[in-house]
Amino acid sequence: MSSLWLFIYKYRYGLVDAYRHDFWYGAIKTLAVVWETIGWLWHGHEIEGLENIPIEGPALIVYYHGAIPIDVYYLLARVILKKGRLVHTVGDRFLFKIPGWNVLMEAFRVIPGTVSSCSNVLKEGNILAIAPGGVYEAQFGTQLYEVLWKKRLGFAKVALEAQTPIIPMFTQNIREAFRTARWGSRFWQWLYSRTKLPLIPIYGFFPVKMKTFIGKPIPYDPENTPEILAAKASNAIQSLIREHQIIPGSIWKALMNRIFNTRLVKSV
């Protein structure tokens, strides 16, 4: 408890200044401290490559979607606290129908995400985060860490229209923190095809070691087509997975990594 209190206390001056500046910004920064604390305490969360996210100007973060994107919450918190920037995010439309969530979506600039609306966010000089795999990848991804983007090109069109670099992101053990049920796979696939809702059971919140890797930006190139740019982004994500993730993922190994703070070494 003493360590927890001191961890939160070190952000006290930033919180006071935030509330003096703007009440909503103060509230957002307070939540950022809460998520930063949870990430540190429960998952020993680290970020490698934070310098690849710009202090100013637009950027499109493209990330692998875990069953629960808790790594994105941790990233948003770190960027708010360390860079003073709010990362806008794209959320599935069903989120906006959950009672009481509208105020959260508004405060953290979560949008449904058409090509036009996303491009406008970037053209205004903001950072935007998108998971091309979306709810499908969240539900049907496995500990094999397949990239399930189903030839989606919308995010690539956004980056090209806004003339913005793409920053790839992957979090080690995100599938070990939360997992989706593997039984009844055909049924859940059928149900999703009918409803487009994430109804598959999720379990976990295991205190595994989590480390987010932010890759080098893929610069804007007017010669790229959406197909070419999407392939480059997919390859960048898969490269991060190959380099930093044991496959298949193991909850036990990830727990040991958290407890003993040992480096996960991939077998050759």
Side-chain angles (χ1 to χ4, degrees):
M1 287 300 296
S2 297
S3 295
L4 177 61
W5 169 248
L6 289 173
F7 187 86
I8 297 174
Y9 185 72
K10 72 179 183 179
Y11 289 109
R12 68 195 186 281
Y13 293 123
L15 291 177
V16 170
D17 289 341
Y19 277 105
R20 285 174 179 169
H21 174 72
D22 177 81
F23 177 81
W24 274 114
Y25 183 63
I28 289 170
K29 201 161 187 178
T30 300
L31 281 174
V33 172
V34 170
W35 279 110
E36 176 83 348
T37 304
I38 292 171
W40 165 74
L41 182 66
W42 195 247
H43 289 121
H45 182 250
E46 300 176 73
I47 296 180
E48 183 175 302
L50 190 63
E51 68 277 4
N52 292 324
I53 296 178
I55 296 176
E56 58 183 21
L60 178 61
I61 298 172
V62 171
Y63 64 95
Y64 174 86
H65 202 312
I68 298 290
I70 195 169
D71 55 330
V72 178
Y73 308 159
Y74 296 160
L75 174 75
L76 265 61
R78 187 71 60 86
V79 173
I80 288 170
L81 296 173
K82 298 299 184 182
K83 293 181 178 280
R85 301 195 68 181
L86 180 61
V87 177
H88 297 228
T89 56
V90 172
D92 195 276
R93 295 181 186 279
F94 84 90
L95 293 172
F96 298 86
K97 299 177 182 179
I98 300 176
W101 276 47
N102 282 342
V103 65
L104 185 64
M105 300 295 176
E106 181 181 353
F108 280 90
R109 303 298 191 272
V110 182
I111 60 175
T114 64
V115 171
S116 176
S117 64
C118 290
S119 297
N120 288 337
V121 168
L122 292 170
K123 289 175 181 178
E124 291 170 359
N126 299 298
I127 302 173
L128 179 66
I130 296 178
V135 170
Y136 185 86
E137 186 172 69
Q139 290 189 108
F140 303 112
T142 70
Q143 60 267 39
L144 297 178
Y145 285 88
E146 314 98 318
V147 173
L148 305 177
W149 290 4
K150 301 179 69 175
K151 298 183 180 179
R152 292 177 177 173
L153 301 175
F155 75 97
K157 294 177 181 177
V158 167
L160 291 172
E161 183 174 320
Q163 301 183 12
T164 301
I166 288 179
I167 302 174
M169 171 183 137
F170 170 73
T171 299
Q172 183 185 69
N173 296 326
I174 185 64
R175 287 259 164 218
E176 280 55 71
F178 290 93
R179 283 193 173 175
T180 52
R182 297 268 59 85
W183 49 266
S185 177
R186 289 185 179 180
F187 169 75
W188 297 117
Q189 289 267 6
W190 172 84
L191 189 60
Y192 176 73
S193 70
R194 293 294 187 275
T195 66
K196 301 302 179 184
L197 294 174
L199 300 175
I200 190 169
I202 296 174
Y203 64 97
F205 198 39
F206 299 115
V208 299
K209 176 66 178 179
M210 291 177 62
K211 187 171 184 178
T212 296
F213 296 90
I214 301 171
K216 295 292 184 182
I218 301 170
Y220 167 72
D221 182 349
E223 298 299 317
N224 280 334
T225 64
E227 290 79 7
I228 290 173
L229 184 56
K232 287 182 178 180
S234 177
N235 290 338
I237 297 288
Q238 291 181 70
S239 178
L240 291 174
I241 293 172
R242 286 193 300 269
E243 183 176 356
H244 301 293
Q245 182 63 52
I246 290 179
I247 298 176
S250 166
I251 294 174
W252 174 251
K253 290 180 180 179
L255 283 170
M256 292 301 98
N257 181 219
R258 174 72 182 97
I259 294 170
F260 297 109
N261 198 29
T262 55
R263 183 176 180 271
L264 287 174
V265 179
K266 298 180 65 176
S267 57
V268 178

Short mmCIF file of all heavy atoms in Angstrom, two decimals, residues 128-177:
data_model
loop_
_atom_site.label_atom_id
_atom_site.label_comp_id
_atom_site.label_asym_id
_atom_site.label_seq_id
_atom_site.Cartn_x
_atom_site.Cartn_y
_atom_site.Cartn_z
N LEU A 128 -4.35 9.42 -33.46
CA LEU A 128 -5.51 8.53 -33.52
C LEU A 128 -5.03 7.09 -33.48
O LEU A 128 -4.04 6.74 -34.10
CB LEU A 128 -6.30 8.77 -34.81
CG LEU A 128 -7.55 7.91 -35.05
CD1 LEU A 128 -8.63 8.23 -34.02
CD2 LEU A 128 -8.08 8.11 -36.46
N ALA A 129 -5.74 6.24 -32.71
CA ALA A 129 -5.40 4.83 -32.61
C ALA A 129 -6.52 3.97 -33.19
O ALA A 129 -7.69 4.19 -32.86
CB ALA A 129 -5.13 4.43 -31.16
N ILE A 130 -6.16 3.03 -34.05
CA ILE A 130 -7.12 2.15 -34.70
C ILE A 130 -6.61 0.71 -34.64
O ILE A 130 -5.42 0.46 -34.86
CB ILE A 130 -7.32 2.53 -36.19
CG1 ILE A 130 -7.92 3.92 -36.34
CG2 ILE A 130 -8.21 1.51 -36.90
CD1 ILE A 130 -8.10 4.36 -37.79
N ALA A 131 -7.52 -0.23 -34.37
CA ALA A 131 -7.22 -1.65 -34.49
C ALA A 131 -7.96 -2.17 -35.72
O ALA A 131 -9.18 -2.36 -35.67
CB ALA A 131 -7.67 -2.42 -33.26
N PRO A 132 -7.27 -2.37 -36.84
CA PRO A 132 -7.97 -2.80 -38.06
C PRO A 132 -8.74 -4.11 -37.89
O PRO A 132 -9.76 -4.32 -38.53
CB PRO A 132 -6.82 -2.96 -39.07
CG PRO A 132 -5.77 -2.02 -38.59
CD PRO A 132 -5.86 -2.08 -37.09
N GLY A 133 -8.25 -5.00 -37.01
CA GLY A 133 -8.95 -6.26 -36.77
C GLY A 133 -10.25 -6.09 -36.01
O GLY A 133 -11.15 -6.93 -36.12
N GLY A 134 -10.34 -5.01 -35.22
CA GLY A 134 -11.55 -4.68 -34.51
C GLY A 134 -12.10 -5.79 -33.63
O GLY A 134 -11.35 -6.62 -33.09
N VAL A 135 -13.42 -5.81 -33.49
CA VAL A 135 -14.09 -6.78 -32.63
C VAL A 135 -13.85 -8.21 -33.11
O VAL A 135 -13.74 -9.14 -32.31
CB VAL A 135 -15.60 -6.47 -32.57
CG1 VAL A 135 -16.37 -7.59 -31.88
CG2 VAL A 135 -15.84 -5.17 -31.83
N TYR A 136 -13.74 -8.40 -34.42
CA TYR A 136 -13.51 -9.75 -34.95
C TYR A 136 -12.18 -10.31 -34.43
O TYR A 136 -12.12 -11.45 -33.94
CB TYR A 136 -13.52 -9.74 -36.47
CG TYR A 136 -13.39 -11.13 -37.07
CD1 TYR A 136 -14.51 -11.91 -37.26
CD2 TYR A 136 -12.14 -11.64 -37.42
CE1 TYR A 136 -14.40 -13.20 -37.79
CE2 TYR A 136 -12.01 -12.92 -37.94
CZ TYR A 136 -13.15 -13.70 -38.12
OH TYR A 136 -13.02 -14.97 -38.63
N GLU A 137 -11.13 -9.53 -34.52
CA GLU A 137 -9.82 -9.97 -34.04
C GLU A 137 -9.84 -10.16 -32.53
O GLU A 137 -9.24 -11.11 -32.00
CB GLU A 137 -8.75 -8.95 -34.42
CG GLU A 137 -7.33 -9.38 -34.10
CD GLU A 137 -6.31 -8.42 -34.68
OE1 GLU A 137 -6.23 -7.27 -34.19
OE2 GLU A 137 -5.61 -8.79 -35.64
N ALA A 138 -10.54 -9.28 -31.82
CA ALA A 138 -10.65 -9.39 -30.37
C ALA A 138 -11.27 -10.72 -29.96
O ALA A 138 -10.81 -11.38 -29.02
CB ALA A 138 -11.47 -8.23 -29.82
N GLN A 139 -12.34 -11.12 -30.66
CA GLN A 139 -13.08 -12.32 -30.28
C GLN A 139 -12.43 -13.62 -30.76
O GLN A 139 -12.42 -14.61 -30.04
CB GLN A 139 -14.50 -12.27 -30.86
CG GLN A 139 -15.40 -11.24 -30.24
CD GLN A 139 -16.82 -11.41 -30.73
OE1 GLN A 139 -17.69 -11.86 -30.01
NE2 GLN A 139 -17.04 -11.08 -31.99
N PHE A 140 -11.91 -13.60 -31.98
CA PHE A 140 -11.50 -14.85 -32.60
C PHE A 140 -9.99 -15.02 -32.76
O PHE A 140 -9.53 -16.03 -33.30
CB PHE A 140 -12.21 -15.01 -33.96
CG PHE A 140 -13.70 -14.95 -33.82
CD1 PHE A 140 -14.43 -13.89 -34.33
CD2 PHE A 140 -14.39 -15.93 -33.12
CE1 PHE A 140 -15.81 -13.82 -34.19
CE2 PHE A 140 -15.77 -15.88 -32.96
CZ PHE A 140 -16.48 -14.82 -33.50
N GLY A 141 -9.23 -14.05 -32.28
CA GLY A 141 -7.80 -14.24 -32.18
C GLY A 141 -7.50 -15.28 -31.11
O GLY A 141 -8.28 -15.48 -30.18
N THR A 142 -6.36 -15.94 -31.23
CA THR A 142 -5.98 -16.98 -30.27
C THR A 142 -4.57 -16.72 -29.76
O THR A 142 -3.93 -15.73 -30.12
CB THR A 142 -6.03 -18.37 -30.94
OG1 THR A 142 -4.95 -18.46 -31.89
CG2 THR A 142 -7.36 -18.59 -31.65
N GLN A 143 -4.09 -17.67 -28.94
CA GLN A 143 -2.73 -17.54 -28.42
C GLN A 143 -1.68 -17.74 -29.51
O GLN A 143 -0.48 -17.62 -29.24
CB GLN A 143 -2.50 -18.53 -27.27
CG GLN A 143 -2.67 -19.99 -27.63
CD GLN A 143 -4.08 -20.48 -27.35
OE1 GLN A 143 -5.06 -19.77 -27.56
NE2 GLN A 143 -4.17 -21.71 -26.86
N LEU A 144 -2.12 -18.00 -30.76
CA LEU A 144 -1.20 -18.04 -31.90
C LEU A 144 -0.92 -16.65 -32.46
O LEU A 144 -0.06 -16.48 -33.32
CB LEU A 144 -1.76 -18.95 -33.00
CG LEU A 144 -1.93 -20.42 -32.62
CD1 LEU A 144 -2.54 -21.20 -33.78
CD2 LEU A 144 -0.61 -21.04 -32.20
N TYR A 145 -1.68 -15.67 -31.99
CA TYR A 145 -1.47 -14.26 -32.35
C TYR A 145 -1.52 -14.01 -33.86
O TYR A 145 -0.68 -13.33 -34.43
CB TYR A 145 -0.14 -13.77 -31.77
CG TYR A 145 -0.21 -13.53 -30.28
CD1 TYR A 145 0.04 -14.57 -29.38
CD2 TYR A 145 -0.55 -12.29 -29.76
CE1 TYR A 145 -0.04 -14.37 -28.01
CE2 TYR A 145 -0.64 -12.08 -28.39
CZ TYR A 145 -0.39 -13.12 -27.52
OH TYR A 145 -0.48 -12.91 -26.17
N GLU A 146 -2.55 -14.57 -34.50
CA GLU A 146 -2.76 -14.28 -35.91
C GLU A 146 -3.28 -12.85 -36.06
O GLU A 146 -4.03 -12.37 -35.22
CB GLU A 146 -3.79 -15.24 -36.51
CG GLU A 146 -3.60 -16.69 -36.15
CD GLU A 146 -4.50 -17.13 -35.00
OE1 GLU A 146 -4.64 -16.35 -34.03
OE2 GLU A 146 -5.05 -18.23 -35.07
N VAL A 147 -2.87 -12.19 -37.13
CA VAL A 147 -3.40 -10.86 -37.46
C VAL A 147 -4.64 -11.08 -38.33
O VAL A 147 -4.54 -11.58 -39.45
CB VAL A 147 -2.35 -10.00 -38.20
CG1 VAL A 147 -2.97 -8.70 -38.70
CG2 VAL A 147 -1.18 -9.71 -37.27
N LEU A 148 -5.81 -10.73 -37.80
CA LEU A 148 -7.09 -11.02 -38.46
C LEU A 148 -7.74 -9.73 -38.96
O LEU A 148 -8.71 -9.25 -38.37
CB LEU A 148 -8.03 -11.77 -37.50
CG LEU A 148 -7.47 -13.06 -36.88
CD1 LEU A 148 -8.47 -13.66 -35.90
CD2 LEU A 148 -7.12 -14.07 -37.97
N TRP A 149 -7.22 -9.19 -40.04
CA TRP A 149 -7.72 -7.91 -40.54
C TRP A 149 -8.72 -8.06 -41.68
O TRP A 149 -9.33 -7.07 -42.09
CB TRP A 149 -6.55 -7.04 -40.99
CG TRP A 149 -5.72 -6.55 -39.85
CD1 TRP A 149 -5.87 -6.86 -38.53
CD2 TRP A 149 -4.60 -5.66 -39.93
NE1 TRP A 149 -4.91 -6.22 -37.77
CE2 TRP A 149 -4.11 -5.48 -38.61
CE3 TRP A 149 -3.96 -5.01 -40.98
CZ2 TRP A 149 -3.03 -4.66 -38.32
CZ3 TRP A 149 -2.86 -4.19 -40.69
CH2 TRP A 149 -2.41 -4.02 -39.38
N LYS A 150 -8.85 -9.26 -42.25
CA LYS A 150 -9.86 -9.54 -43.27
C LYS A 150 -9.83 -8.53 -44.43
O LYS A 150 -10.85 -8.04 -44.89
CB LYS A 150 -11.25 -9.56 -42.64
CG LYS A 150 -11.41 -10.61 -41.54
CD LYS A 150 -12.78 -10.60 -40.92
CE LYS A 150 -13.82 -11.08 -41.88
NZ LYS A 150 -15.16 -11.20 -41.24
N LYS A 151 -8.63 -8.18 -44.87
CA LYS A 151 -8.44 -7.27 -46.03
C LYS A 151 -9.05 -5.89 -45.81
O LYS A 151 -9.44 -5.22 -46.77
CB LYS A 151 -9.00 -7.91 -47.30
CG LYS A 151 -8.31 -9.21 -47.69
CD LYS A 151 -8.86 -9.76 -48.99
CE LYS A 151 -8.15 -11.07 -49.36
NZ LYS A 151 -8.67 -11.64 -50.62
N ARG A 152 -9.12 -5.46 -44.56
CA ARG A 152 -9.66 -4.13 -44.29
C ARG A 152 -8.65 -3.06 -44.70
O ARG A 152 -7.47 -3.14 -44.35
CB ARG A 152 -10.02 -4.00 -42.81
CG ARG A 152 -11.20 -4.88 -42.41
CD ARG A 152 -11.49 -4.82 -40.94
NE ARG A 152 -12.67 -5.63 -40.62
CZ ARG A 152 -13.08 -5.87 -39.38
NH1 ARG A 152 -12.41 -5.37 -38.35
NH2 ARG A 152 -14.15 -6.61 -39.16
N LEU A 153 -9.14 -2.04 -45.38
CA LEU A 153 -8.27 -1.00 -45.93
C LEU A 153 -8.62 0.40 -45.42
O LEU A 153 -7.93 1.36 -45.75
CB LEU A 153 -8.36 -0.99 -47.46
CG LEU A 153 -7.98 -2.29 -48.18
CD1 LEU A 153 -8.24 -2.15 -49.68
CD2 LEU A 153 -6.51 -2.64 -47.92
N GLY A 154 -9.68 0.52 -44.63
CA GLY A 154 -10.13 1.83 -44.19
C GLY A 154 -9.06 2.64 -43.50
O GLY A 154 -8.88 3.84 -43.78
N PHE A 155 -8.29 2.01 -42.60
CA PHE A 155 -7.25 2.73 -41.87
C PHE A 155 -6.17 3.24 -42.81
O PHE A 155 -5.61 4.33 -42.61
CB PHE A 155 -6.65 1.84 -40.78
CG PHE A 155 -5.71 0.78 -41.30
CD1 PHE A 155 -4.34 0.98 -41.31
CD2 PHE A 155 -6.20 -0.42 -41.79
CE1 PHE A 155 -3.47 0.01 -41.78
CE2 PHE A 155 -5.36 -1.40 -42.26
CZ PHE A 155 -3.98 -1.19 -42.26
N ALA A 156 -5.85 2.45 -43.85
CA ALA A 156 -4.83 2.87 -44.82
C ALA A 156 -5.33 4.06 -45.64
O ALA A 156 -4.57 5.00 -45.92
CB ALA A 156 -4.47 1.71 -45.73
N LYS A 157 -6.61 4.04 -45.98
CA LYS A 157 -7.20 5.17 -46.70
C LYS A 157 -7.16 6.43 -45.84
O LYS A 157 -6.93 7.53 -46.34
CB LYS A 157 -8.64 4.84 -47.10
CG LYS A 157 -8.75 3.72 -48.13
CD LYS A 157 -10.21 3.39 -48.42
CE LYS A 157 -10.32 2.26 -49.42
NZ LYS A 157 -11.73 1.87 -49.66
N VAL A 158 -7.39 6.27 -44.54
CA VAL A 158 -7.33 7.40 -43.61
C VAL A 158 -5.94 8.01 -43.59
O VAL A 158 -5.76 9.23 -43.69
CB VAL A 158 -7.73 6.94 -42.19
CG1 VAL A 158 -7.37 8.00 -41.15
CG2 VAL A 158 -9.22 6.64 -42.13
N ALA A 159 -4.92 7.16 -43.45
CA ALA A 159 -3.54 7.64 -43.38
C ALA A 159 -3.14 8.35 -44.67
O ALA A 159 -2.46 9.39 -44.64
CB ALA A 159 -2.59 6.48 -43.10
N LEU A 160 -3.56 7.81 -45.81
CA LEU A 160 -3.21 8.43 -47.10
C LEU A 160 -3.94 9.75 -47.30
O LEU A 160 -3.35 10.73 -47.77
CB LEU A 160 -3.54 7.46 -48.24
CG LEU A 160 -2.65 6.21 -48.32
CD1 LEU A 160 -3.19 5.25 -49.37
CD2 LEU A 160 -1.21 6.60 -48.65
N GLU A 161 -5.20 9.78 -46.92
CA GLU A 161 -5.97 11.01 -47.09
C GLU A 161 -5.44 12.13 -46.20
O GLU A 161 -5.38 13.29 -46.61
CB GLU A 161 -7.45 10.76 -46.77
CG GLU A 161 -8.33 11.98 -47.01
CD GLU A 161 -9.80 11.69 -46.83
OE1 GLU A 161 -10.24 10.60 -47.25
OE2 GLU A 161 -10.51 12.55 -46.26
N ALA A 162 -5.03 11.78 -44.98
CA ALA A 162 -4.51 12.78 -44.04
C ALA A 162 -3.01 12.99 -44.19
O ALA A 162 -2.44 13.85 -43.51
CB ALA A 162 -4.83 12.35 -42.61
N GLN A 163 -2.36 12.19 -45.06
CA GLN A 163 -0.91 12.28 -45.29
C GLN A 163 -0.15 12.15 -43.97
O GLN A 163 0.69 12.98 -43.61
CB GLN A 163 -0.56 13.58 -46.01
CG GLN A 163 -1.24 13.74 -47.35
CD GLN A 163 -0.84 14.98 -48.10
OE1 GLN A 163 0.12 15.67 -47.74
NE2 GLN A 163 -1.55 15.30 -49.17
N THR A 164 -0.49 11.08 -43.25
CA THR A 164 0.00 10.87 -41.89
C THR A 164 0.78 9.57 -41.79
O THR A 164 0.39 8.57 -42.41
CB THR A 164 -1.21 10.82 -40.92
OG1 THR A 164 -1.93 12.04 -41.02
CG2 THR A 164 -0.74 10.62 -39.49
N PRO A 165 1.85 9.53 -41.01
CA PRO A 165 2.57 8.26 -40.81
C PRO A 165 1.76 7.29 -39.97
O PRO A 165 0.91 7.68 -39.17
CB PRO A 165 3.84 8.70 -40.07
CG PRO A 165 3.47 9.96 -39.38
CD PRO A 165 2.49 10.65 -40.30
N ILE A 166 2.02 6.00 -40.16
CA ILE A 166 1.42 4.94 -39.37
C ILE A 166 2.45 4.42 -38.38
O ILE A 166 3.59 4.13 -38.76
CB ILE A 166 0.90 3.79 -40.26
CG1 ILE A 166 -0.35 4.22 -41.02
CG2 ILE A 166 0.61 2.55 -39.43
CD1 ILE A 166 -0.90 3.15 -41.95
N ILE A 167 2.04 4.29 -37.12
CA ILE A 167 2.92 3.77 -36.07
C ILE A 167 2.38 2.41 -35.62
O ILE A 167 1.30 2.34 -35.04
CB ILE A 167 3.00 4.74 -34.88
CG1 ILE A 167 3.51 6.10 -35.34
CG2 ILE A 167 3.90 4.17 -33.79
CD1 ILE A 167 3.49 7.17 -34.26
N PRO A 168 3.11 1.32 -35.87
CA PRO A 168 2.64 -0.01 -35.46
C PRO A 168 2.85 -0.25 -33.96
O PRO A 168 3.82 0.23 -33.38
CB PRO A 168 3.50 -0.96 -36.29
CG PRO A 168 4.78 -0.20 -36.51
CD PRO A 168 4.39 1.24 -36.61
N MET A 169 1.93 -1.00 -33.37
CA MET A 169 2.01 -1.25 -31.92
C MET A 169 1.54 -2.67 -31.61
O MET A 169 0.55 -3.15 -32.17
CB MET A 169 1.15 -0.23 -31.17
CG MET A 169 0.99 -0.52 -29.69
SD MET A 169 -0.11 0.69 -28.90
CE MET A 169 -1.10 -0.40 -27.86
N PHE A 170 2.26 -3.33 -30.72
CA PHE A 170 1.88 -4.66 -30.24
C PHE A 170 2.26 -4.79 -28.77
O PHE A 170 3.31 -4.30 -28.36
CB PHE A 170 2.58 -5.76 -31.04
CG PHE A 170 2.42 -7.13 -30.43
CD1 PHE A 170 1.19 -7.78 -30.50
CD2 PHE A 170 3.46 -7.74 -29.76
CE1 PHE A 170 1.03 -9.03 -29.90
CE2 PHE A 170 3.32 -8.98 -29.17
CZ PHE A 170 2.09 -9.63 -29.24
N THR A 171 1.41 -5.47 -28.00
CA THR A 171 1.70 -5.68 -26.58
C THR A 171 1.90 -7.16 -26.29
O THR A 171 1.03 -7.99 -26.54
CB THR A 171 0.57 -5.13 -25.70
OG1 THR A 171 0.46 -3.72 -25.92
CG2 THR A 171 0.86 -5.38 -24.22
N GLN A 172 3.07 -7.45 -25.77
CA GLN A 172 3.43 -8.81 -25.39
C GLN A 172 2.48 -9.33 -24.31
O GLN A 172 2.18 -8.64 -23.33
CB GLN A 172 4.87 -8.79 -24.86
CG GLN A 172 5.45 -10.13 -24.48
CD GLN A 172 6.83 -9.95 -23.86
OE1 GLN A 172 6.96 -9.43 -22.76
NE2 GLN A 172 7.85 -10.37 -24.59
N ASN A 173 1.96 -10.54 -24.52
CA ASN A 173 1.08 -11.25 -23.58
C ASN A 173 -0.32 -10.66 -23.45
O ASN A 173 -1.04 -10.97 -22.49
CB ASN A 173 1.71 -11.34 -22.19
CG ASN A 173 2.99 -12.16 -22.18
OD1 ASN A 173 3.13 -13.13 -22.92
ND2 ASN A 173 3.94 -11.76 -21.35
N ILE A 174 -0.74 -9.84 -24.41
CA ILE A 174 -2.09 -9.27 -24.33
C ILE A 174 -3.14 -10.38 -24.37
O ILE A 174 -4.21 -10.27 -23.74
CB ILE A 174 -2.31 -8.24 -25.46
CG1 ILE A 174 -3.68 -7.56 -25.32
CG2 ILE A 174 -2.19 -8.89 -26.83
CD1 ILE A 174 -3.85 -6.73 -24.09
N ARG A 175 -2.85 -11.49 -25.06
CA ARG A 175 -3.80 -12.62 -25.12
C ARG A 175 -3.71 -13.51 -23.88
O ARG A 175 -4.54 -14.39 -23.70
CB ARG A 175 -3.53 -13.46 -26.35
CG ARG A 175 -3.98 -12.81 -27.63
CD ARG A 175 -5.30 -13.35 -28.10
NE ARG A 175 -5.90 -12.47 -29.10
CZ ARG A 175 -7.18 -12.21 -29.19
NH1 ARG A 175 -8.01 -12.73 -28.33
NH2 ARG A 175 -7.63 -11.40 -30.11
N GLU A 176 -2.70 -13.30 -23.06
CA GLU A 176 -2.61 -14.05 -21.81
C GLU A 176 -3.28 -13.29 -20.66
O GLU A 176 -3.63 -13.89 -19.64
CB GLU A 176 -1.15 -14.35 -21.47
CG GLU A 176 -0.54 -15.52 -22.22
CD GLU A 176 -0.64 -15.40 -23.73
OE1 GLU A 176 0.05 -14.56 -24.33
OE2 GLU A 176 -1.45 -16.15 -24.31
N ALA A 177 -3.41 -11.99 -20.80
CA ALA A 177 -4.11 -11.20 -19.77
C ALA A 177 -5.60 -11.51 -19.79
O ALA A 177 -6.23 -11.69 -18.74
CB ALA A 177 -3.87 -9.71 -20.00
#
